[in-house]
Amino acid sequence: MLLQIREAVLDNLPAMLAIYNHAIAHLAATFDLEPQSLAQREVWFHKHTEAHPLLVAEADGQVVGYCCLSPFREKPAYSKTVELSVYIDAQQRGRGVGTALMSDILQRAEQLGYHTVISGITGGNEASVRLHEKFGFTLAGKFREVGFKFGEWHDVHFYQLMLGKEA
């Protein structure tokens, strides 16, 4: 499978929405409980700028995954910290899509001068933990039983990668 990683465009939104809504329905990777509408995701899409890129992985003309950097917190002192999110089409997991997306987005994070990247990973998501650890992320801490989905409580483990840039 030949992958192309590129910046997302609005025309990619329906495919990205399908990937995300599948995650909502089947995974504890997101704590959204109801499917998102195209209008809701369009608002989300427009929050991504040059400073907070949104990338897609495309194979054979189809979007098979996406990732983004988002502000970690609103206050100005957090401006050199970003939160990373990665979602892969259910049929494409384990085929290197996440690795390709992470490699590109982390290079961009470094070029943009970010100091640290944070990812919140739901407890038990070992595939995501392995992906993050492959890139040098380490466990920074966890919040116990902060999300209730699929009839049970879920922990969120926070992984952190220090990029080494000065503020």
Side-chain angles (χ1 to χ4, degrees), residues 95-110:
R95 295 184 176 186
V97 176
T99 298
L101 283 165
M102 288 274 284
S103 179
D104 195 307
I105 200 87
L106 291 173
Q107 286 176 7
R108 290 175 191 241
E110 198 157 8

Side-chain angles (χ1 to χ4, degrees), residues 140-161:
K142 72 177 179 177
F143 293 134
R144 295 185 62 232
E145 298 183 2
V146 292
F148 191 79
K149 188 171 182 181
F150 302 134
E152 62 184 324
W153 287 103
H154 298 275
D155 299 344
V156 176
H157 300 211
F158 285 91
Y159 279 77
Q160 182 175 16
L161 177 67

Side-chain angles (χ1 to χ4, degrees), residues 3 7 11-13 24 42 50 69 77 100 102 123 129 140 145 158:
L3 278 179
E7 291 187 23
D11 286 347
N12 300 138
L13 199 53
I24 291 171
E42 190 169 342
E50 259 185 53
L69 297 178
M102 288 274 284
V129 169
E145 298 183 2
F158 285 91

Side-chain angles (χ1 to χ4, degrees), residues 3-126:
L3 278 179
Q4 178 188 7
I5 308 298
R6 61 171 174 76
E7 291 187 23
V9 296
L10 198 55
D11 286 347
N12 300 138
L13 199 53
M16 295 165 63
L17 175 65
I19 291 168
Y20 190 66
N21 279 341
H22 185 274
I24 291 171
H26 299 282
L27 304 173
T30 173
F31 286 170
D32 276 322
L33 300 175
E34 299 295 328
Q36 297 275 296
S37 70
L38 196 55
Q40 287 171 305
R41 287 313 267 184
E42 190 169 342
V43 170
W44 165 84
F45 179 92
H46 288 297
K47 290 180 181 178
H48 293 280
T49 62
E50 259 185 53
H52 297 100
L54 173 58
L55 306 178
V56 293
E58 192 175 67
D60 301 321
Q62 301 295 314
V63 172
V64 294
Y66 68 92
C67 70
C68 60
L69 297 178
S70 303
F72 176 66
R73 297 280 188 266
E74 295 292 322
K75 295 186 171 141
Y78 289 114
S79 68
K80 295 294 184 181
T81 301
V82 286
E83 186 167 358
L84 169 68
S85 298
V86 179
Y87 289 91
I88 309 301
D89 181 275
Q91 304 303 314
Q92 301 298 325
R93 293 185 194 127
R95 295 184 176 186
V97 176
T99 298
L101 283 165
M102 288 274 284
S103 179
D104 195 307
I105 200 87
L106 291 173
Q107 286 176 7
R108 290 175 191 241
E110 198 157 8
Q111 291 165 354
L112 289 165
Y114 290 114
H115 180 69
T116 186
V117 181
I118 307 290
S119 285
I121 302 174
T122 306
N125 187 346
E126 294 307 316

